[in-house]
């Protein structure tokens, strides 16, 4: 055996071990996106689609609309388009791997594909009422397209005795503690208001409360004394009638503190729909459906609409605020009250003021 045929072990060399090339392995985790198919093309269907698209969380995708008219297939409504007809419901749900079918039909008696929806429900897909999904996603009720039966037979609007008693006890307790603790602040604000403009420190105004009964609301005066010489007007976020100190106490929502007196007297609650003036109530109840439902609970110093919507300064704003108010009335609970109070305290501390 010559030297060239000697093994590497014989000459003291370590064997060469060939390593396999490194392979980069990318692990992809499944991304869950709820795909929603909207049954219908009316106003509710469009509002629901816009609400889902506006959230932009990446967890919900609207695959499209279904209409009974085949000639409209391909027409773009919001961002998704009409992708089929009612009789193609099952086929399209399979093709797009739909998780949720939202039923947004105005008249369901003649056109609702009951058997197909029942089959899909039995197979594990969600079949939900469009109003319910809109309420869940937006935090308000779509009152323009809502039939009275949907409210009558809904699971909301419960008034458990224990909940209402606890709510009232908490109202009284917080009002007593607040009135005592805020005496120094009340004195300071009283002096500043008197120095800033002529007129009384406190402002009293008629409002509509529980069951439509009128009562006098208390506030720190934030406007000039002659603010309504020409009659009642909607207040705006940049109202020129507001005084210098008034603009500051409005920003921090300190003008609402005297309403603790109304809470003590049982005319208001800490949380509830904001009370409106009788002249505006009469006007709004004639133009906005279900407006008087907001009077089935005590009005509040703060409310769901105040935490979710800007400062209301018109009939249009009142229309949107009522949708939030009715969501609160329907889903009233101590947990929801706590959520509203926490948000209100945050707004006051950050000086965001009334919107």
């Amino acid at each position: 055996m010559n030297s060239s045929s000697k093994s590497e072990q014989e000459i003291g060399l370590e064997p060469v071990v060939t390593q396999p090339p490194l392979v980069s392995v990318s692990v992809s985790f499944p991304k869950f996106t709820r795909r929603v198919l909207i049954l219908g093309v009316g106003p509710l269907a469009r509002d629901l689609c816009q609400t889902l698209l506006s959230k932009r969380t990446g967890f919900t995708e609207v695959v499209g609309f279904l209409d009974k008219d085949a000639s409209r297939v391909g027409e773009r409504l919001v961002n998704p388009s009409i992708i089929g007809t009612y009789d193609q419901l099952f086929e399209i749900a399979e093709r797009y791997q739909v998780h949720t079918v939202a039923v947004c039909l105005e008249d369901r008696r003649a056109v609702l594909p009951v058997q197909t929806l029942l089959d899909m429900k039995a197979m594990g897909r969600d079949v939900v009422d469009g109003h319910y999904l809109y309420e869940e996603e937006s935090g308000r009720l779509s009152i323009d397209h809502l039939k009275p039966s949907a409210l009558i037979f809904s699971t909301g609007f419960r008034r458990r005795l224990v909940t209402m008693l606890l709510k009232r006890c908490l109202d009284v307790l917080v009002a007593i503690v607040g009135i005592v603790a805020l005496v120094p602040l009340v004195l300071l604000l009283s002096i500043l208001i008197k120095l800033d403009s002529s007129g009384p420190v406190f402002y009293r105004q008629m409002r509509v409360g529980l069951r439509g009964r009128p009562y006098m609301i208390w506030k720190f005066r934030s406007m000039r004394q002659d603010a309504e010489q020409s009659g009642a007007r909607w207040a705006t976020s940049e109202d020129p009638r507001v005084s210098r100190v008034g603009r500051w106490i409005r920003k921090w929502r300190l003008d609402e503190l005297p309403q603790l007196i109304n809470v003590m007297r049982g005319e208001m609650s800490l949380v509830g729909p904001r009370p409106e003036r009788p002249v505006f109530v009469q006007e709004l109840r004639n133009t906005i459906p279900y407006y008087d439902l907001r009077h089935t609970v005590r009005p509040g110093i703060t409310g769901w609409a105040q935490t979710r919507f800007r400062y209301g300064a018109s009939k249009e704003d009142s229309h949107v605020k009522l949708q939030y108010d009715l969501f609160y009335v329907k889903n009233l609970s101590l947990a929801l009250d706590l959520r509203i109070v926490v948000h209100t305290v945050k707004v006051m501390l950050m000086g965001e003021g009334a919107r």
Side-chain angles (χ1 to χ4, degrees):
M1 183 181 298
N2 54 33
S3 61
S4 62
S5 63
K6 289 183 179 180
S7 65
E8 294 173 333
Q9 287 84 352
E10 291 178 69
I11 60 175
L13 296 177
E14 292 293 331
V16 178
V17 179
T18 305
Q19 296 287 345
L22 294 175
V23 179
S24 60
V25 179
S26 60
V27 180
S28 59
F29 295 95
K31 179 182 178 182
F32 175 74
T33 301
R34 180 175 66 162
R35 295 185 180 86
V36 179
L37 178 63
I38 299 178
L39 197 62
V41 294
L44 174 61
R46 300 183 190 205
D47 288 349
L48 175 60
C49 183
Q50 289 174 336
T51 299
L52 293 172
L53 293 175
S54 66
K55 303 200 79 169
R56 302 185 186 281
T57 58
F59 295 109
T60 301
E61 175 189 353
V62 180
V63 301
F65 301 86
L66 296 186
D67 189 18
K68 63 180 178 180
D69 187 358
S71 65
R72 296 189 64 185
V73 174
E75 179 182 332
R76 188 171 295 275
L77 293 183
V78 182
N79 184 18
S81 59
I82 301 174
I83 58 176
T85 57
Y86 299 158
D87 56 2
Q88 296 175 307
L89 171 59
F90 192 87
E91 173 194 341
I92 289 175
E94 286 290 317
R95 185 192 312 163
Y96 288 94
Q97 298 181 334
V98 169
H99 302 96
T100 302
V101 177
V103 181
C104 301
L105 303 181
E106 285 76 13
D107 184 10
R108 303 179 183 178
R109 291 169 296 182
V111 296
L112 188 65
V114 177
Q115 188 58 53
T116 306
L117 290 172
L118 182 59
D119 291 342
M120 296 180 68
K121 186 79 172 179
M123 293 172 63
R125 286 193 171 95
D126 286 333
V127 178
V128 298
D129 180 81
H131 291 289
Y132 174 79
L133 188 57
Y134 180 84
E135 175 186 337
E136 184 183 62
E137 295 292 334
S138 68
R140 54 190 175 130
L141 270 63
S142 180
I143 57 177
D144 294 317
H145 323 301
L146 196 60
K147 293 187 183 336
S149 59
L151 295 175
I152 293 170
F153 297 109
S154 70
T155 57
F157 301 101
R158 294 177 179 175
R159 299 289 181 272
R160 292 186 175 90
L161 181 60
V162 174
T163 300
M164 301 311 292
L165 284 175
L166 284 174
K167 181 176 171 66
R168 180 61 188 149
C169 289
L170 288 171
D171 284 344
V172 174
L173 179 62
V174 173
I176 293 174
V177 173
I179 289 172
V180 174
L182 295 173
V183 167
L185 179 60
V186 169
L187 292 175
L188 175 61
L189 292 177
S190 300
I191 294 171
L192 292 175
I193 291 170
K194 290 297 290 184
L195 291 175
D196 182 55
S197 61
S198 60
V201 171
F202 296 103
Y203 178 67
R204 298 178 67 209
Q205 191 180 69
M206 187 71 71
R207 297 292 175 96
V208 177
L210 181 65
R211 298 186 181 92
R213 296 170 185 162
Y215 73 99
M216 283 290 183
I217 197 173
W218 286 77
K219 299 180 73 172
F220 279 120
R221 181 174 58 83
S222 60
M223 291 188 178
R224 302 190 311 268
Q225 193 174 4
D226 60 348
E228 293 196 332
Q229 266 188 335
S230 57
R233 289 166 48 188
W234 291 98
T236 62
S237 56
E238 298 295 333
D239 203 313
R241 300 172 295 167
V242 177
S243 64
R244 289 173 298 177
V245 171
R247 197 170 303 282
W248 181 77
I249 64 175
R250 277 191 168 202
K251 178 180 179 181
W252 299 91
R253 294 193 177 183
L254 299 176
D255 58 323
E256 312 286 358
L257 292 180
Q259 289 163 40
L260 291 173
I261 298 172
N262 295 113
V263 174
M264 281 284 299
R265 297 174 59 175
E267 297 163 334
M268 294 183 69
S269 175
L270 293 175
V271 179
R274 286 295 297 156
E276 195 50 83
R277 301 173 64 175
V279 60
F280 294 139
V281 167
Q282 191 58 44
E283 185 179 351
L284 294 171
R285 65 168 36 131
N286 293 330
T287 56
I288 303 178
Y290 310 111
Y291 187 81
D292 275 321
L293 288 180
R294 72 196 304 273
H295 299 136
T296 58
V297 297
R298 284 187 178 91
I301 296 179
T302 185
W304 182 244
Q306 279 62 48
T307 65
R308 306 278 291 192
F309 191 62
R310 63 178 181 270
Y311 194 90
S314 66
K315 291 182 184 178
E316 292 74 20
D317 287 348
S318 295
H319 187 280
V320 177
K321 286 181 69 176
L322 178 66
Q323 297 180 36
Y324 287 110
D325 286 337
L326 292 189
F327 177 90
Y328 174 80
V329 172
K330 182 182 177 184
N331 299 283
L332 188 151
S333 68
L334 295 179
L336 183 57
D337 278 13
L338 179 61
R339 181 178 173 183
I340 293 169
V341 169
V342 168
H343 184 88
T344 302
V345 171
K346 177 183 174 183
V347 167
M348 292 178 68
L349 293 177
M350 295 180 66
E352 294 177 10
R355 292 172 297 168

